[in-house]
Amino acid sequence: PEPAAKRCRRLIPFSLEELEKEIAELKADPPHYVKDIGELQTPKLICDEHGQLKVPENPQKNGPWDLQLCVCGKEGDEAYGVPCKVNIRFDPELWPAKLPLVRFRGVFHHALTDDNGAMLMPFYRAMPRNEQDACTLRLTLQAIRCFLEDPFTSWKLPAERLPEKFQRALEVHRKINAERLEII
């Protein structure tokens, strides 16, 4: 089969009601690795196409919408087995046909996120989809958990084929994150 990133996706229209329904279902029956599910909120400022901050126009209707929650990696993992704060941004131009934007909040160290805690493109390319070829909140959370447990597998990259410097960087960041948690 053709990779998910290359397939032509059908346009699945955004529905705030469907997103709110997904969040309500998640709150009613959260996976064991998801905690502290917040409310859907609109950000006070967003970046325009030129990178300038602006107040969103009619945000309650047009979005984007942010959901904050915590996701835990593998139980017992001293670096990522604790609740990690995550912000998931739903943009009506992207969700659910394409992807949500995922960013770790607070002090978070991982070699495979950018300096602001945002996921890198391989995460999005490997994002699982449902039978309608759409992203769902539960599948997004599963992808985040897989990333915390084994990022190379979640990115569908065999660890044995990666340069040693990637593996070393991952271990260094894992150690830094674990030490940060010891201090807290």
Side-chain angles (χ1 to χ4, degrees):
E2 198 173 358
K6 302 253 182 204
R7 279 189 302 233
C8 180
R9 304 205 188 285
R10 290 184 319 219
L11 182 59
I12 301 168
F14 174 80
S15 166
L16 183 56
E17 293 78 24
E18 283 297 314
L19 179 56
E20 289 171 334
K21 180 181 168 192
E22 274 194 79
I23 294 168
E25 289 170 357
L26 181 68
K27 286 181 175 185
D29 185 25
H32 70 279
Y33 54 86
V34 175
K35 310 214 180 309
D36 302 327
I37 304 165
E39 299 298 323
L40 206 55
Q41 298 180 348
T42 56
K44 292 177 178 34
L45 296 171
I46 60 172
C47 286
D48 66 14
E49 59 276 357
H50 305 292
Q52 301 297 313
L53 287 177
K54 70 174 192 169
V55 175
E57 295 175 28
N58 196 0
Q60 297 306 325
K61 181 182 174 199
N62 299 328
W65 294 271
D66 291 339
L67 179 65
Q68 293 185 24
L69 45 73
C70 293
V71 178
C72 303
K74 186 186 295 183
E75 196 171 316
D77 181 338
E78 60 185 25
Y80 305 114
V82 299
C84 299
K85 291 182 181 181
V86 176
N87 188 79
I88 303 175
R89 176 159 289 176
F90 303 95
D91 186 319
E93 293 179 19
L94 298 175
W95 181 265
K98 294 188 182 170
L99 50 91
L101 301 175
V102 177
R103 186 176 147 252
F104 290 93
R105 301 196 39 108
V107 178
F108 179 82
H109 298 279
H110 199 291
L112 303 176
T113 59
D114 72 13
D115 291 341
N116 295 315
M119 290 293 199
L120 302 177
M121 194 49 70
F123 172 82
Y124 297 112
R125 286 189 190 118
M127 181 81 73
R129 303 195 176 257
N130 69 10
E131 54 282 346
Q132 286 86 32
D133 204 26
C135 297
T136 69
L137 182 54
R138 282 193 187 270
L139 289 175
T140 300
L141 295 172
Q142 287 173 9
I144 295 167
R145 168 140 173 140
C146 286
F147 173 82
L148 291 171
E149 290 180 350
D150 185 355
F152 296 127
T153 299
S154 76
W155 284 8
K156 300 179 181 168
L157 299 170
E160 63 275 1
R161 290 184 44 209
L162 293 168
E164 191 177 315
K165 76 176 193 176
F166 277 126
Q167 295 179 15
R168 276 196 315 267
L170 195 61
E171 283 307 311
V172 166
H173 282 267
R174 173 178 286 288
K175 183 179 178 193
I176 292 169
N177 207 58
E179 289 171 354
R180 171 191 68 88
L181 293 171
E182 283 179 11
I183 294 169
I184 297 172

